């Protein structure tokens, strides 16, 4: 397999509802996660839903982080997709710590494609 | 399991490099995918890398879509995470069609948490 990135899929629960419903806390946690993951921020969108719930997407030079919270269930879903550089596990630890999830499930998916690398008509490929 | 959303993880290859390196084409494909998926757009970031490659994150009321392309390999990775409403499979078809991937692998992950729903201190929960 030609692996291009590591994707950590996180489901976490038993988090305090007030943390999961605090967009500024989540924004700070994401910025801390980007730093801990040694990633490069391109853009971030943090959105609060009514009556509750926060969703955020972080565009990185390394790919993305996304988080969606359900305060009413004490649950959040997070995705950390890092290509090449960066430390997605470290970023994940920050999110878990910041949102104080007592229960946590994560799986790692190697992203990429099988076989011989094709389509090399472009120049300047690393 | 208390399922809150469906996450489709896509790896696709043998796509034309010029499509994978065209941020406007990818932006249009994402907007078409949002419409086909009957989702609600909150925000979108489309970023072109130098010398090539495009990354995009789409924040939805239903969660998110993300896509990252490697034109030099004819490869793209896409994630379509939809909670509740929406048709992520339809959105996925649009992306595949728009980027003309000859090879395609997708897996569906049910997102959520086990056991009894806890933490119902918030009001107005559906």
């Amino acid at each position: 397999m030609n692996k291009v990135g590591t994707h950590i899929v996180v489901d976490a629960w038993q988090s305090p509802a007030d943390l999961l419903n605090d967009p500024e806390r989540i924004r700070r946690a994401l910025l801390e996660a980007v730093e801990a993951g040694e990633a490069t921020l391109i853009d971030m969108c943090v959105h609060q839903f009514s009556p509750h719930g926060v969703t955020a997407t972080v565009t990185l030079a390394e790919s993305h982080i996304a988080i969606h919270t359900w305060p009413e269930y004490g649950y959040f879903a997070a995705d950390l997709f890092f290509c090449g550089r960066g430390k997605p596990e470290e970023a994940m630890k920050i999110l878990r710590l910041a949102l104080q999830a007592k229960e946590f499930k994560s799986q790692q998916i190697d992203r990429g494609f099988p076989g011989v690398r094709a389509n090399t008509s472009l120049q300047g490929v690393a």
Side-chain angles (χ1 to χ4, degrees), chain A residues 15-96:
Chain A
S15 279
D18 58 339
L19 291 181
L20 297 181
N21 205 34
D22 183 342
E24 285 313 311
R25 181 72 198 91
I26 290 171
R27 183 188 302 273
R28 286 201 306 277
L30 286 167
L31 289 173
E32 291 165 13
V34 170
E35 186 175 358
E38 299 180 5
T40 302
L41 180 70
I42 292 174
D43 193 25
M44 176 159 50
C45 170
V46 181
H47 180 83
Q48 177 143 42
F49 294 101
S50 175
H52 42 67
V54 174
T55 208
T57 56
V58 185
T59 310
L60 302 172
E62 292 77 12
S63 290
H64 76 271
I65 300 175
I67 186 166
H68 311 292
T69 78
W70 279 261
E72 66 271 38
Y73 305 143
Y75 165 80
F76 71 89
D79 289 85
L80 304 102
F81 185 158
F82 279 49
C83 69
R85 301 155 296 172
K87 298 178 175 176
E89 297 85 357
E90 297 303 315
M92 181 181 73
K93 287 178 193 168
I94 295 289
L95 293 183
R96 181 180 184 178

